[in-house]
Amino acid sequence: MSLIPRGSLMDLDNMFEQMLSPSRLGGEAKEGFFSPRIDVRETEKSYEISAELPGVTKDDISVTLEDGVLTLEAEVHREEKQEEEGRVIRQERRYGKYMRSFNLGADVSESDIDASFRDGVLTLKAPKREVTQPRTQRIEIH
């Protein structure tokens, strides 16, 4: 597959982020921690990236492409408040920023990438270029 997450096995930041993620620790996300789920699928004609972004609006999402690197950024601002007869009993806020980058392979048509956002899921479709068979040409010897 040519579409691969940016980073390497020796990427210490990513390693610690993975080890300390709330899903691995069995707890809730700490304030400021935002880690949506990403699915990457390959079909015969394209790659498809889906990102679950609950609580995020379309205006809070940025998708950029620079030097063959597709970057997804999102920011969440969520507040919950419960009141009982004018007194605040519980108030919770969640803020966080998320960024994920993918190296696009040579077989991706960068100018045709499409993005849509529906029901809290961002979907990016990156069509593959048509594969051309190498042409064999006979060279005359003089």
Side-chain angles (χ1 to χ4, degrees):
M1 180 170 108
S2 295
L3 185 68
I4 55 174
R6 189 173 181 161
S8 69
L9 295 175
M10 299 306 293
D11 184 357
L12 293 178
D13 289 336
N14 188 38
M15 181 178 75
F16 283 111
E17 181 181 324
Q18 297 280 335
M19 286 185 351
L20 300 175
S21 73
S23 61
R24 288 200 187 237
L25 298 175
E28 289 295 316
K30 294 186 167 105
E31 187 173 336
F33 191 87
F34 177 50
S35 182
R37 305 283 183 207
I38 300 282
D39 295 331
V40 179
R41 290 182 196 84
E42 180 181 10
T43 68
E44 188 176 312
K45 296 184 178 189
S46 68
Y47 295 103
E48 185 176 304
I49 301 170
S50 298
E52 293 179 7
L53 300 170
V56 175
T57 66
K58 181 178 163 183
D59 295 333
D60 295 331
I61 302 170
S62 171
V63 180
T64 58
L65 178 63
E66 184 178 347
D67 293 330
V69 177
L70 183 71
T71 301
L72 158 66
E73 293 182 79
E75 204 163 339
V76 67
H77 301 283
R78 182 182 295 162
E79 292 192 27
E80 295 178 26
K81 190 175 187 178
Q82 289 182 346
E83 291 188 27
E84 187 176 296
E85 295 182 32
R87 289 183 358 195
V88 176
I89 301 300
R90 179 180 69 97
Q91 186 169 9
E92 295 181 2
R93 294 172 192 86
R94 189 174 105 169
Y95 302 95
K97 186 170 184 172
Y98 175 77
M99 184 174 81
R100 186 82 181 260
S101 295
F102 298 88
N103 288 322
L104 298 181
D107 67 337
V108 172
S109 178
E110 294 182 1
S111 61
D112 296 323
I113 296 173
D114 182 57
S116 62
F117 186 67
R118 184 172 180 204
D119 298 331
V121 177
L122 174 68
T123 303
L124 301 165
K125 289 186 181 179
K128 295 179 182 178
R129 291 185 181 146
E130 285 202 29
V131 179
T132 57
Q133 296 297 325
R135 189 173 64 113
T136 303
Q137 179 180 347
R138 183 164 178 88
I139 307 296
E140 292 293 325
I141 303 171
H142 302 288

